[in-house]
């Protein structure tokens, strides 16, 4: 009797395994859930945490009251922000009153055209009027280049066997991203400011926008006093190496010190990575300081840029960080900043 029971159990278990294996053989078509995860940060405040390889790329989020919603950042693509607008509609019936751009980089402004079409005001740093539709072209290949990359990905997909599902899914997602990029019209914010604060009211809820230098020189953050939440955009990254292409690390470290001093107990929604605490912001600040110290020493030791890039390896404590492809560019950007040759 016991043997029969065990046999039945074994058969059931192997059936389950077969079903699971079969499930994995099915190619999974790309879908909205692949783009971001909605995380509740406080009452009416949500972070939309981007998933790797999806259409969101950078984090976004929203702040709601009974009377209105403020969307912070517009993701990488129009489709991703439309997915967020749908998700907002599932949480509240209040209308979207404002969108905010934390900075110009495409992974935070790629959905601007959706809000422009809805006649929702888009608020950003005044520098965006110079950079949004010009410097962003470095992140948005032209139509011919997008078509070339798409044809290449389609060719690879056709040559990939049906049972190489991971590879096929990756290529399908790449094609989906390229199609989405082709649909972007770089779109300026409609209202800007460059210093001090800008206060937004949605019903009883107040949201204070402010700027800090360091990441691009045109960054806007949002503080929600009644919930003690700060949306930092790319001024803070959680367990993720940053993009320093436009950065001035020398300004960035004091900006993070100010952020930690002004909001010591806040919850932080970073530009990349999960919802963060002050300790996470401090860890990121210390990464920048560590980078600064290592590169400064390399220069003092007479290392050339190429030698510094080869010899300065990422310290062990950052080995679990995402975006490790930025490790070497971080050395180069820091080196050039310290030499005064960045952007020249
Ligand atoms: Zn970003």
């Amino acid at each position: 009797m016991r043997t029969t029971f065990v046999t039945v159990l074994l058969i059931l278990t192997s059936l389950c395994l077969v079903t699971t294996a079969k499930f994995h053989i099915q190619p999974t078509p790309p879908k909205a859930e692949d783009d971001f995860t909605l995380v509740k940060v406080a009452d009416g405040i949500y972070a939309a945490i981007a998933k790797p390889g999806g259409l969101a790329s950078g984090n976004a989020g929203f702040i709601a009251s009974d009377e209105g919603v403020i969307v912070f950042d517009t993701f990488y693509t129009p489709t991703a922000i439309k997915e967020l607008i749908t998700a907002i509609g599932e949480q509240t019936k209040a209308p979207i009153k404002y969108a905010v751009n934390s900075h110009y980089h495409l992974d935070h402004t790629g959905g601007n055209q959706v809000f422009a079409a809805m006649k929702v005001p888009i608020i950003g740093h005044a520098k965006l009027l110079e950079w949004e539709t010009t410097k962003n072209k470095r992140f948005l290949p032209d139509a011919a280049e997008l078509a070339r990359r798409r044809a290449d990905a389609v060719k690879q997909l056709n040559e990939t066997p049906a049972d190489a599902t991971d590879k096929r899914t990756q290529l399908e997602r790449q094609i989906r991203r390229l199609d989405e990029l082709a649909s972007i019209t770089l779109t300026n914010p409609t209202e800007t400011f460059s210093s001090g604060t800008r206060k937004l009211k949605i019903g009883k809820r107040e949201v204070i926008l402010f700027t800090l230098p360091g990441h691009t020189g045109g960054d806007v953050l949002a503080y929600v006093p009644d919930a003690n939440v700060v949306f930092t955009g790319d001024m803070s990254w959680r367990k993720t190496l940053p993009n320093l292409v436009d950065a001035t690390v020398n300004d960035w470290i004091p900006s993070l010190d100010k952020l930690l001093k002004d909001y010591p107990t806040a919850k932080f929604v970073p530009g990349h990575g999960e919802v963060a605490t002050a300790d996470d912001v401090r860890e990121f600040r210390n990464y920048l300081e560590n980078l600064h110290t290592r590169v400064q020493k390399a220069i003092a030791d007479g290392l050339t840029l190429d030698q510094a890039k080869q010899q300065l390896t990422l310290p062990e404590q950052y080995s679990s960080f995402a975006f490790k492809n930025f490790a070497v560019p971080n050395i180069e950007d820091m080196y050039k900043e310290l030499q005064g040759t960045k952007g020249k």
Side-chain angles (χ1 to χ4, degrees):
M1 190 63 197
R2 197 181 147 73
T3 322
T4 322
F5 176 73
V6 171
T7 314
V8 169
L9 207 66
L10 277 173
I11 291 169
L12 279 176
T13 312
S14 40
L15 268 177
C16 278
L17 287 174
V18 169
T19 318
T20 317
K22 230 178 162 177
F23 177 77
H24 280 294
I25 289 167
Q26 302 295 325
T28 41
K31 50 191 182 303
E33 305 89 279
D34 293 338
D35 297 329
F36 61 86
T37 311
L38 207 58
V39 178
K40 185 173 178 176
V41 184
D43 267 353
I45 303 181
Y46 290 79
I49 306 296
K51 290 192 179 173
L55 301 181
S57 193
N59 293 343
F62 67 92
I63 304 147
S65 75
D66 291 343
E67 290 176 39
V69 178
I70 298 168
V71 180
F72 191 86
D73 273 340
T74 71
F75 285 145
Y76 184 46
T77 60
T79 292
I81 200 66
K82 284 179 193 161
E83 289 165 1
L84 182 61
I85 292 169
T86 303
I88 292 170
E90 287 161 5
Q91 300 294 333
T92 174
K93 292 284 159 279
I96 295 173
K97 297 273 192 173
Y98 304 96
V100 176
N101 287 154
S102 64
H103 63 289
Y104 84 90
H105 290 166
L106 191 64
D107 56 333
H108 301 264
T109 60
N112 274 8
Q113 70 204 64
V114 175
F115 290 115
M118 292 164 69
K119 304 268 184 274
V120 169
I122 304 168
I123 305 171
H125 193 285
K127 283 285 180 192
L128 267 63
L129 300 179
E130 284 174 48
W131 299 339
E132 171 65 25
T133 62
T134 54
K135 279 172 88 173
N136 246 338
K137 287 185 180 151
R138 75 169 96 173
F139 302 115
L140 184 61
D142 64 25
E145 174 62 16
L146 285 172
R148 194 194 62 72
R149 288 190 200 177
R150 190 186 198 283
D152 186 49
V154 169
K155 183 168 173 282
Q156 281 188 60
L157 182 63
N158 289 338
E159 289 164 2
T160 305
D163 60 352
T165 47
D166 283 358
K167 172 88 176 147
R168 289 189 68 88
T169 303
Q170 194 196 332
L171 285 164
E172 282 163 3
R173 285 163 67 77
Q174 194 181 329
I175 292 164
R176 181 177 178 242
R177 260 198 322 278
L178 289 166
D179 286 340
E180 278 297 317
L181 287 178
S183 77
I184 294 175
T185 306
L186 295 171
T187 303
N188 276 328
T190 55
E191 297 175 23
T192 62
F193 71 110
S194 56
S195 61
T197 58
R198 169 89 204 261
K199 287 183 184 167
L200 304 177
K201 278 282 240 182
I202 38 167
K204 289 197 191 75
R205 192 157 236 178
E206 187 179 56
V207 176
I208 301 168
L209 305 183
F210 60 102
T211 78
L212 282 174
H215 169 246
T216 63
D219 285 63
V220 169
L221 299 82
Y223 175 56
V224 192
D226 73 66
N228 198 21
V229 173
V230 182
F231 286 80
T232 68
D234 280 358
M235 282 299 296
S236 193
W237 304 49
R238 184 179 180 275
K239 298 204 183 294
T240 304
L241 296 185
N243 184 346
L244 299 181
V245 66
D246 291 312
T248 309
V249 173
N250 217 27
D251 292 336
W252 201 340
I253 295 169
S255 285
L256 290 171
D257 285 335
K258 178 169 168 38
L259 196 66
L260 286 163
K261 180 170 161 287
D262 290 351
Y263 310 103
T265 59
K267 279 186 185 170
F268 297 88
V269 179
H272 298 269
E274 304 292 326
V275 176
T277 62
D279 280 346
D280 296 316
V281 175
R282 197 169 294 109
E283 182 183 44
F284 176 68
R285 177 229 176 265
N286 290 344
Y287 168 76
L288 292 179
E289 188 177 64
N290 176 294
L291 175 73
H292 187 278
T293 306
R294 285 184 296 128
V295 175
Q296 198 165 42
K297 181 173 183 308
I299 292 171
D301 290 346
L303 267 63
T304 64
L305 173 58
D306 283 340
Q307 288 168 334
K309 281 161 72 176
Q310 277 165 17
Q311 292 177 29
L312 300 185
T313 50
L314 189 68
E316 178 59 29
Q317 73 252 46
Y318 305 115
S319 61
S320 66
F321 275 37
F323 290 6
K324 278 208 277 296
N325 54 312
F326 279 139
V328 174
N330 279 185
I331 301 289
E332 176 159 359
D333 283 320
M334 189 71 249
Y335 192 101
K336 288 180 172 171
E337 180 185 326
L338 287 167
Q339 295 286 57
T341 56
K342 196 163 178 197
K344 284 177 189 160

